[in-house]
Amino acid sequence: DAGVIQSPRHEVTEMGQEVTLRCKPISGHDYLFWYRQTMMRGLELLIYFNNNVPIDDSGMPEDRFSAKMPNASFSTLKIQPSEPRDSAVYFCASRAPGLAGGDTQYFGPGTRLTVL
Amino acid sequence: KNEVEQSPQNLTAQEGEFITINCSYSVGISALHWLQQHPGGGIVSLFMLSSGKKKHGRLIATINIQEKHSSLHITASHPRDSAVYICAVRSSGTDKLIFGTGTRLQVFP
């Protein structure tokens, strides 16, 4: 299995531009999590989905952030418009269903976003 | 006060030393995770604990539910163990993880 796939790996953009981050979870996993990591705040949960349905988006910082999961194999995190304070590493993680799958989350390699 | 506190924030050691990293939490949990983040940035899950102790190679993780405390031990540390170690708890009744700020470990030869 290829693991969780994220693209792009690096993104540099200018303030005000729209940014779209993409994630492909591990096949068969029914949970998908989006995290943001900064030096100041560490890792923070932004939103998570179960069976493609958003369950908790309380970590999404503001209306400029949106996330979708149109099917079990694809999710996007969009920032529009982007601001310099959005610069961070964004991780996607997935988890197998139910107790049999355990509680382990498998992280993608991350997207390093720089907003100038 | 953070819901998950780790100590120390930074740790340096000589190769071969025994390492302990501590994690305390203030919320009810269903599980506690130890994660490793290498300098390249990738995050790997090391352990998931809900009670007792787990061992994998030179790594040992323990948890005391009553005291809301967990420790990660590394025996015979090696330079390749240099990484950031992150404690995370899964709050009771949710699927959310709450993360500590991490412990940066450097092991010198």
Side-chain angles (χ1 to χ4, degrees):
Chain A
D1 198 324
V4 176
I5 299 171
Q6 290 187 247
S7 65
R9 295 292 307 276
H10 302 272
E11 177 82 29
V12 180
T13 190
E14 292 189 346
M15 183 173 65
Q17 297 297 306
E18 177 179 294
V19 175
T20 300
L21 311 181
R22 297 173 175 80
C23 175
K24 177 178 167 54
I26 293 172
S27 177
H29 284 191
D30 65 345
Y31 281 88
L32 185 138
F33 303 82
W34 280 103
Y35 296 102
R36 178 171 68 176
Q37 185 178 39
T38 60
M39 290 292 291
M40 290 297 294
R41 299 172 67 92
L43 271 165
E44 300 174 287
L45 175 68
L46 298 176
I47 184 172
Y48 77 94
F49 296 83
N50 179 222
N51 291 319
N52 313 335
V53 176
I55 302 300
D56 188 328
D57 65 354
S58 59
M60 296 284 263
E62 48 198 272
D63 291 346
R64 297 185 298 106
F65 285 69
S66 62
K68 293 182 181 179
M69 192 163 185
N71 57 61
S73 58
F74 184 66
S75 177
T76 59
L77 178 68
K78 188 173 291 188
I79 308 172
Q80 165 65 11
S82 58
E83 296 183 3
R85 60 191 167 125
D86 302 330
S87 298
V89 181
Y90 291 82
F91 287 98
C92 173
S94 69
R95 198 187 96 193
L99 292 174
D103 204 27
T104 299
Q105 293 187 19
Y106 295 84
F107 286 76
T111 295
R112 182 174 295 276
L113 173 65
T114 302
V115 184
L116 302 174
Chain B
K1 189 177 189 301
N2 293 335
E3 292 167 301
V4 181
E5 300 272 0
Q6 283 186 240
S7 63
Q9 282 190 303
N10 296 283
L11 186 54
T12 58
Q14 288 295 124
E15 184 173 356
E17 285 185 8
F18 182 82
I19 303 292
T20 295
I21 299 170
N22 296 299
C23 176
S24 297
Y25 53 92
S26 57
V27 296
I29 70 168
S30 55
L32 181 143
H33 297 254
W34 282 102
L35 309 171
Q36 181 190 55
Q37 185 170 27
H38 272 285
I43 298 174
V44 174
S45 180
L46 297 175
F47 294 104
M48 190 276 289
L49 294 160
S50 53
S51 65
K53 176 179 169 179
K54 286 191 176 179
K55 184 175 189 293
H56 181 70
R58 295 178 296 104
L59 273 58
I60 304 167
T62 63
I63 189 168
N64 184 318
I65 297 294
Q66 285 73 30
E67 295 187 4
K68 295 190 173 181
H69 180 269
S70 175
S71 293
L72 176 68
H73 305 285
I74 305 175
T75 61
S77 59
H78 189 276
R80 65 174 174 267
D81 297 325
S82 298
V84 176
Y85 292 84
I86 302 169
C87 172
V89 301
R90 180 178 170 186
S91 297
S92 299
T94 82
D95 293 294
K96 296 168 64 167
L97 289 183
I98 305 170
F99 296 87
T101 52
T103 295
R104 183 175 300 275
L105 171 65
Q106 289 185 293
V107 182
F108 294 99

